[in-house]
Amino acid sequence: MIMRPTAGTRTPRRSKHRPVWQEKPTVVGSIVKAITLTIICLAVLFPLYTVVLTSLSTQPTITEAGGLVIVPGEVTFAAYRQILAGGIVTRATMVSVGVTAVGTLLSTTVSVMCAYGLSRPSSLLHRPILFVLIITMFFSAGMIPTYLLVSGLGLIDNYLSLILPGAVSAFNVLILRNFFMGIDPAITEAARIDGAGDWRILATIAMPMSKAVVAVVALFYGVGYWNAFFNAMLYINDNAKWPLQLVLRSYVLQGVTLPGSGIGQVDVATGAVTGLPVKMAVMVLAVMPILLIYPFVQRHFTKGVIFGAVKG
Amino acid sequence: MTAPTVLAAPRPVATRSRPSPPEQRKVSLRTRWRRDRSLIIMTVPAVLLLAVFAYVPMAGNIVAWQDYSPYIGILDSPFIAWDNFARVLTSPAFLHAVQNTLVITGFQLVFYFPLPIILALLLNSVLTPAIRTTIQSIVYLPHFFSWVLVVTVFQQMFGGAGLVNQIMTQNGWGSFDLMTNPDTFLVLITSQAVWKDAGWGIIIFLAALATVDPALYEASVVDGASRWRRMWHISLPALRPVVILLLILRLGDALTVGFEQLILQRGAVGAQVSEVIDTFVYYQGVINGDWGFATAAGLMKGVISLLLVLGANKLAHLFGEAGVYQKS
């Protein structure tokens, strides 16, 4: 064991990330740690791997595996061609994309405005408005009265019912507000002296300075809209208007036969479920946008999100 | 109307808790309006949305005291005082749902709640930043999956047509179906919750650990503290406020247990083990059309949850912790 008493000197063998005062990790400890963390990561990644692989496999490969494929065989995009060629899944994807895009834009805009409007502690009516916001975090009206309201407004089978009821999350507004309040008042004061109004300060100073946190909040909203299925179960009776998550639930989870798509049908000759790659392809489709956007927003998480992580 | 009026503080709360700086006390209401009106206008869309979709339904809870029928409407449905509440409280199905809810909450408090803390301590001890951030991005990921997807993934792994059953039957080890077995349902839903959210849960603990002054560790090493003693005396105390905060929030949510998760699996496993308060409200109201009854059940849940949060927060203050909110 080599110990150098003088702080700051580096022995060549010490990992550059380990502080000087910290003892060298034991071999057993490191191995146990490595194995645990590997298992944890595999537990997350392995199911995704087999689902993606099965969605890309040909029927013989799947029949040979007896179901989900673990060892890669022949690759085909047939399942994706089938579900994206029009029909229920294609339509549902478009509904989900539309609702998510419009909803995220609306929610983020409204929340950013509200958060900035509440970010100057001494401003007029600031406290009562904040109070109105915070109450919604502690007491929610409940499912039935909300349902009665939405149906009373005639929004059943209307896509607005998937957007408006949950459009503003007080938590997200408070995350943004926290961030806006952290902006140095000297900067906004300077802009004000130069003649900028609050709208202009928000658009040209506060927003650009808070890009990361706005991106994270937009991600939260977007993920919420994309993943929601229960509101559609409540408000959308016409299954031609179903979003993708509801289609995933019916045709994959509950195994209802999807007309004309081969999902859920059993091949008489082999007894294997012929729709398996199609099912898996629907699953991949349902998670694709998240996998695509995640890497870009992920690095901002720790910045402004700590507060939101409590509830989110 | 005229005059350099008032202390410009319409709310007693405002003056008591946060006295405005002296120069602002002289500003008239009209000047303040002119100065702040764009700020107020900015909040209007959000306030309107909340007014319509959060506050109107709060008032809509009046249905709980009515024999509500959608054909007659809220205004004309007959008032029946507390009948709905009495029916809810004497309904065996409701009491069973409450029991299931509390069992699930209790079980997850023991088997789910500590996991993110342990995982955060483990991850915090990984020294190479590249490895640490890679693992972080992997374990955060499932938090962003929908419940439909999570349940479907579990079905494909552990269900009757799933991977585990497939391997077991191929090797002649019998059959396996976790998704429809009521006896193991608690374990199933807790594993799903862990898979989805335990990773994300560490983010806040990691942040708390990052604020610890390294000098503390250094000093304790000089005093001869081992790795484990450092964790016990430095890392864990640093996490305490966060743990208490999360416990309070969890307590406030004690009556809310994975509604989407449960409603997705109620059909497969049966109502006996999967019926919780929220699913009870849904089935009684939307499916059975017993609107007043379901609203009463939901309202009781909402009020008790509110009391639980306030109570837990009070408790935290008594223990000298910050809690969720403080009287400023």
Side-chain angles (χ1 to χ4, degrees), chain B residues 99-111:
Chain B
Q99 187 194 334
N100 278 342
T101 310
L102 294 178
V103 167
I104 294 173
T105 297
F107 191 84
Q108 298 199 341
L109 209 54
V110 177
F111 292 98

Side-chain angles (χ1 to χ4, degrees), chain A residues 49-292:
Chain A
Y49 161 77
T50 74
V51 165
V52 172
L53 187 60
T54 309
S55 76
L56 292 172
S57 294
T58 55
Q59 194 59 51
T61 317
I62 290 169
T63 314
E64 196 185 331
L68 290 172
V69 183
I70 301 173
V71 187
E74 231 181 312
V75 168
T76 167
F77 287 92
Y80 292 93
R81 274 201 298 275
Q82 192 181 337
I83 57 173
L84 292 176
I88 290 180
V89 178
T90 316
R91 203 164 45 205
T93 310
M94 270 147 52
V95 169
S96 282
V97 168
V99 166
T100 305
V102 175
T104 309
L105 190 66
L106 176 83
S107 292
T108 313
T109 314
V110 167
S111 303
V112 164
M113 277 165 52
C114 182
Y116 185 76
L118 293 172
S119 67
R120 214 160 55 212
S122 58
S123 72
L124 188 66
L125 291 180
H126 154 267
R127 289 202 147 233
I129 296 174
L130 195 58
F131 195 63
V132 163
L133 201 69
I134 287 175
I135 284 187
T136 63
M137 294 195 319
F138 287 95
F139 184 77
S140 77
M143 182 195 308
I144 304 294
T146 310
Y147 174 82
L148 293 177
L149 171 77
V150 170
S151 66
L153 291 173
L155 292 181
I156 298 290
D157 279 338
N158 186 326
Y159 294 131
L160 285 179
S161 66
L162 304 182
I163 296 176
L164 295 180
V168 182
S169 141
F171 254 96
N172 287 343
V173 175
L174 292 187
I175 294 175
L176 289 164
R177 174 174 179 261
N178 248 10
F179 213 87
F180 289 145
M181 287 177 83
I183 294 177
D184 186 356
I187 301 175
T188 46
E189 247 353 278
R192 212 179 305 279
I193 289 165
D194 290 345
D198 278 311
W199 290 97
R200 203 177 162 135
I201 294 176
L202 172 60
T204 57
I205 297 175
M207 274 282 279
M209 284 180 78
S210 326
K211 249 186 260 163
V213 81
V214 173
V216 171
V217 165
L219 175 83
F220 283 165
Y221 277 127
V223 167
Y225 283 115
W226 180 263
N227 283 344
F229 85 96
F230 181 69
N231 55 3
M233 200 169 132
L234 273 179
Y235 305 133
I236 307 290
N237 299 327
D238 178 2
N239 62 9
K241 291 183 173 174
W242 275 1
L244 190 57
Q245 301 292 338
L246 212 48
V247 170
L248 178 66
R249 166 178 171 269
S250 286
Y251 298 127
V252 182
L253 188 61
Q254 300 184 327
V256 179
T257 308
L258 181 55
S261 71
I263 293 186
Q265 284 157 13
V266 176
D267 185 0
V268 189
T270 60
V273 182
T274 53
L276 196 59
V278 180
K279 278 187 174 183
M280 297 304 107
V282 177
M283 284 176 77
V284 174
L285 202 60
V287 78
M288 192 56 86
I290 289 168
L291 295 181
L292 289 179

